[in-house]
């Protein structure tokens, strides 16, 4: 049977999402992947890159989503534009990867455009004399809508869709105080995973798995949390009924009277499990080192809540010594921000102190069991500390597991087994936790809005 005779995959019966139920076929069905290709990706805002990737005028990146490619390019110190990556002459793709140009040039017959997409040159233009739709304005590069928030650049292939400001408003409200636009890449990894793009995002949407998958945190972090929908997006918030540095309520251990080792241990755990060789990851190496001062400079008998305040003081001091500022968040702002966000549909942010892990997952062709997964660390680095951006690609991440922070490896190992399990005939559906896994069910609820046009969430 060849591609012309193979029948289209049948769309499975539509099962509704509930806070405690998600149909697993969303993550396994080729027909649903096809529906996403038609109804989600062409209509939704997607994070294309960080502004720092295109810091200079003429810097560009190409963002690929399925068979669409978009050029994101800085056209002045303040302006960034996005174009469909295609030549209006015979359709050659204009740019590949990333780089720097002073004009856009098609390598096939040499047509050219300014950075702002205006036509500069058509070879032998007089040959078209008398032809229609050949004015300069007809031959501009086709623009793609673009939005900017927190140092991230978003694109939307739908010329008439939702306004970016409406889309991003709930994220702005909660996360603007963190000032992500001041963060810089610590590291940038792209992996091919044998999992649906949603399975990959879902692995970072909840802390319900921490006790089982990341038990190394339990001695120093109480992961009691609640999750919430925020517009199309979602977040979860740690409740901190036990101070940071105290063991999880899932252990039988009491809150110790002396929290110095615990507080130093939290930062050490971030450094050791999420950091690269230099310790950069979800926090800066600078902060992880500064927090260790509580062990020697905070007196025994200091009340537990004050130990973390002292650690934060040391971290701020170390940051200020390098000329790096941190915003002071009120307790209300801290709770509104939470610790983990999903920006619909496919972007995750997991942050602490002065660093953040950014995740992005995209389908890898039409295979619902495969995705392209980006994992980035962005941090409040001093200018002299910002490493040269190196994009590392892992077509087979297991072969280079030792280059990936241990926490991610714990999650990655899990993910591909989840994807296999989702195909089991013995699985009736996913019983999502209605308190701690709202981000998972909400992702599917909003997805169904795009795929089926309904707004569902049955209690
Ligand atoms: S296809 Fe671009 S100039 Fe011909
Ligand atoms: Fe995890």
């Amino acid at each position: 049977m060849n591609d012309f005779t193979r029948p289209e995959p049948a769309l499975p019966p539509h099962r509704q999402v509930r806070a405690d139920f998600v149909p697993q076929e969303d993550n396994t069905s080729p027909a649903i992947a096809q529906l996403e290709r038609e109804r989600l990706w062409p209509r939704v805002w997607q994070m294309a890159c960080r502004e720092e990737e295109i810091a200079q005028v003429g810097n560009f990146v190409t963002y690929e989503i399925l068979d669409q490619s978009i050029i994101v390019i800085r056209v002045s110190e303040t302006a960034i534009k996005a174009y469909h990556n295609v030549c209006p002459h015979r359709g050659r793709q204009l740019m590949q990867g990333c780089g720097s140009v002073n004009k856009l040039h098609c390598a096939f017959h040499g047509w050219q455009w300014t950075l702002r997409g205006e036509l500069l040159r058509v070879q032998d233009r007089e040959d078209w004399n008398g032809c229609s739709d050949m004015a300069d304005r007809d031959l501009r590069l086709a623009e793609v809508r673009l939005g900017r928030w927190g140092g991230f650049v978003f694109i939307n292939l739908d010329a008439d869709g939702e306004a970016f400001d409406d889309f991003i408003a709930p994220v702005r409200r909660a996360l603007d105080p963190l000032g992500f636009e001041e963060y810089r890449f610590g590291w940038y990894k792209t992996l091919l995973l044998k999992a649906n793009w949603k399975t990959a995002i879902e692995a970072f949407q909840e802390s319900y798995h921490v006790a089982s998958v990341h038990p190394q945190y339990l001695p120093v972090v109480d992961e009691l949390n609640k999750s919430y929908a925020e517009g199309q997006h979602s977040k979860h918030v740690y409740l901190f009924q036990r101070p940071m540095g105290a063991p999880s309520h899932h252990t039988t251990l009491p809150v110790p009277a002396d929290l110095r080792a615990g507080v130093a241990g939290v930062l050490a755990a971030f450094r050791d499990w999420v950091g690269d060789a230099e310790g950069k990851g979800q926090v800066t190496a600078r902060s992880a080192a500064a927090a260790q001062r509580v062990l020697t400079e905070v007196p025994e008998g200091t009340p537990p809540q004050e130990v973390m305040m002292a650690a934060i003081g040391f971290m701020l001091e170390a940051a200020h010594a390098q000329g790096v500022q941190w915003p002071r968040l009120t307790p209300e702002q801290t709770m509104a921000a939470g610790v983990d966000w999903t920006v619909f549909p496919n972007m995750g942010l997991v942050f602490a102190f002065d660093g953040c892990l950014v995740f992005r997952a995209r389908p890898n062709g039409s295979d619902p069991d495969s995705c392209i997964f980006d994992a980035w660390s962005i941090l409040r680095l001093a200018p002299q500390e910002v490493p040269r951006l190196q994009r590392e690609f892992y077509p087979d991440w297991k072969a280079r597991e030792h280059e990936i922070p241990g926490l991610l490896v714990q999650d990655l190992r899990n993910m591909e087994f989840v994807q296999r399990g989702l195909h089991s005939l013995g699985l009736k559906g996913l019983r999502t936790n209605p308190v701690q896994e709202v981000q998972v069910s909400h992702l599917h609820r909003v997805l169904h809005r795009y795929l089926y046009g309904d707004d569902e969430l049955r209690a």
Side-chain angles (χ1 to χ4, degrees):
M1 201 182 273
N2 62 34
D3 276 349
F4 295 105
T5 54
R6 184 178 295 142
E8 283 285 305
L11 197 61
H14 173 190
R15 298 199 288 166
Q16 291 215 313
V17 178
R18 302 190 310 253
D20 69 341
F21 180 89
V22 167
Q24 74 268 32
E25 57 272 20
D26 279 5
N27 292 27
T28 56
S29 157
I32 289 179
Q34 177 62 27
L35 212 55
E36 289 175 348
R37 175 190 282 267
E38 292 163 14
R39 299 185 182 174
L40 174 72
W41 300 111
R43 292 166 54 201
V44 73
W45 285 100
Q46 300 169 53
M47 191 267 285
C49 66
R50 292 272 303 158
E51 293 201 14
E52 69 202 80
E53 294 180 74
I54 46 171
Q56 308 295 328
V57 174
N59 288 173
F60 72 90
V61 298
T62 52
Y63 171 71
E64 319 282 339
I65 180 70
L66 293 163
D67 59 357
Q68 297 301 302
S69 178
I70 295 97
I71 301 166
V72 181
I73 188 163
R74 183 172 294 272
V75 303
S76 77
E77 228 169 83
T78 53
I80 296 173
K81 281 189 176 285
Y83 307 112
H84 288 281
N85 189 4
V86 64
C87 174
H89 175 221
R90 294 251 312 275
R92 186 193 196 279
Q93 207 172 60
L94 292 172
M95 322 287 253
Q96 287 77 44
C98 52
S100 191
V101 292
N102 51 29
K103 55 182 174 258
L104 292 104
H105 172 87
C106 180
F108 199 178
H109 310 92
W111 288 24
Q112 290 181 342
W113 299 264
T114 67
L115 298 183
R116 291 187 178 275
E118 298 139 346
L119 185 71
L120 272 179
R121 176 176 186 267
V122 170
Q123 182 166 294
D124 303 330
R125 189 162 185 180
E126 60 281 2
D127 293 352
W128 276 271
N129 279 350
C131 297
S132 59
D133 302 327
M134 279 296 288
D136 282 11
R137 67 174 178 282
D138 300 317
L139 301 176
R140 288 182 57 92
L141 293 181
E143 227 170 292
V144 172
R145 280 204 300 153
L146 181 143
R148 294 159 72 172
W149 166 76
F152 297 100
V153 182
F154 293 76
I155 59 95
N156 191 327
L157 292 167
D158 184 352
D160 312 308
E162 181 182 24
F164 180 70
D165 287 346
D166 295 340
F167 166 81
I168 207 70
V171 181
R172 266 196 216 285
R173 258 196 308 277
L175 298 187
D176 270 357
L178 288 158
F180 282 131
E181 59 280 0
E182 287 161 25
Y183 286 45
R184 293 293 173 267
F185 277 114
W187 43 261
Y188 183 127
K189 297 178 192 294
T190 302
L191 297 79
L192 292 187
L193 299 183
K194 293 191 184 86
N196 187 269
W197 66 272
K198 297 182 291 299
T199 306
I201 285 298
E202 286 156 13
F204 300 96
Q205 285 191 306
E206 39 88 7
S207 289
Y208 185 53
H209 73 281
V210 168
S212 184
V213 177
H214 313 297
Q216 69 270 20
Y217 288 99
L218 297 189
V220 289
V221 175
D222 181 27
E223 79 286 22
L224 185 72
N225 73 92
K226 258 178 97 85
S227 48
Y228 303 90
E230 289 274 5
Q232 295 174 65
H233 321 291
S234 59
K235 69 176 178 192
H236 72 269
V237 173
Y238 275 30
L239 301 179
F240 295 119
Q241 287 179 359
R242 289 176 155 214
M244 216 189 254
S248 162
H249 67 287
H250 285 120
T251 69
T252 50
L253 301 167
V255 178
D258 187 343
L259 263 194
R260 292 176 302 170
V263 165
V266 172
L267 273 294
F270 281 133
R271 178 194 61 209
D272 297 343
W273 286 91
V274 194
D276 62 2
E278 278 95 53
K280 295 188 303 290
Q282 204 175 1
V283 294
T284 57
R286 172 189 67 226
S287 284
Q292 305 310 305
R293 288 173 58 189
V294 297
L295 295 172
T296 50
E297 297 178 39
V298 171
E300 198 178 340
T302 302
Q305 306 289 358
E306 288 175 28
V307 181
M308 184 45 88
M309 292 316 295
I312 291 173
F314 293 139
M315 290 189 259
L316 285 172
E317 196 183 307
H320 292 165
Q322 291 189 341
V324 179
Q325 301 301 315
W326 279 26
R328 293 288 185 126
L329 266 56
T330 63
E332 294 72 35
Q333 287 175 321
T334 305
M335 288 311 278
V339 295
D340 180 302
W341 274 72
T342 304
V343 180
F344 184 83
N346 65 334
M347 178 183 179
L349 296 166
V350 186
F351 41 86
F353 302 108
D354 58 359
C356 178
L357 295 178
V358 182
F359 301 113
R360 178 179 66 182
R362 288 170 280 170
N364 183 19
S366 56
D367 179 2
D369 294 318
S370 176
C371 75
I372 303 163
F373 183 70
D374 296 292
W376 304 340
S377 157
I378 58 168
L379 309 118
R380 286 188 172 272
L381 295 173
Q384 66 274 16
E385 262 192 307
V386 177
R388 221 178 87 82
L389 178 58
Q390 253 184 309
R391 297 179 178 89
E392 293 162 305
F393 181 55
Y394 299 78
D396 176 9
W397 66 270
K398 286 191 190 113
R400 285 160 62 201
E401 207 179 274
H402 58 283
E403 295 176 33
I404 301 170
L407 170 114
L408 293 188
V409 170
Q410 290 175 321
D411 290 313
L412 292 171
R413 281 190 187 144
N414 219 28
M415 232 179 256
E416 299 189 352
F417 287 118
V418 170
Q419 189 66 28
R420 282 196 236 165
L422 294 178
H423 286 274
S424 171
L425 295 172
L427 183 68
K428 298 199 165 50
L430 312 182
R431 302 311 308 260
T432 41
N433 180 326
V435 176
Q436 298 185 54
E437 293 179 317
V438 167
Q439 289 183 254
V440 178
S441 54
H442 190 61
L443 172 66
H444 289 261
R445 177 196 182 194
V446 181
L447 175 70
H448 280 210
R449 210 183 281 168
Y450 279 84
L451 301 190
Y452 307 108
D454 54 0
D455 193 1
E456 58 193 57
L457 187 68
R458 296 244 178 104

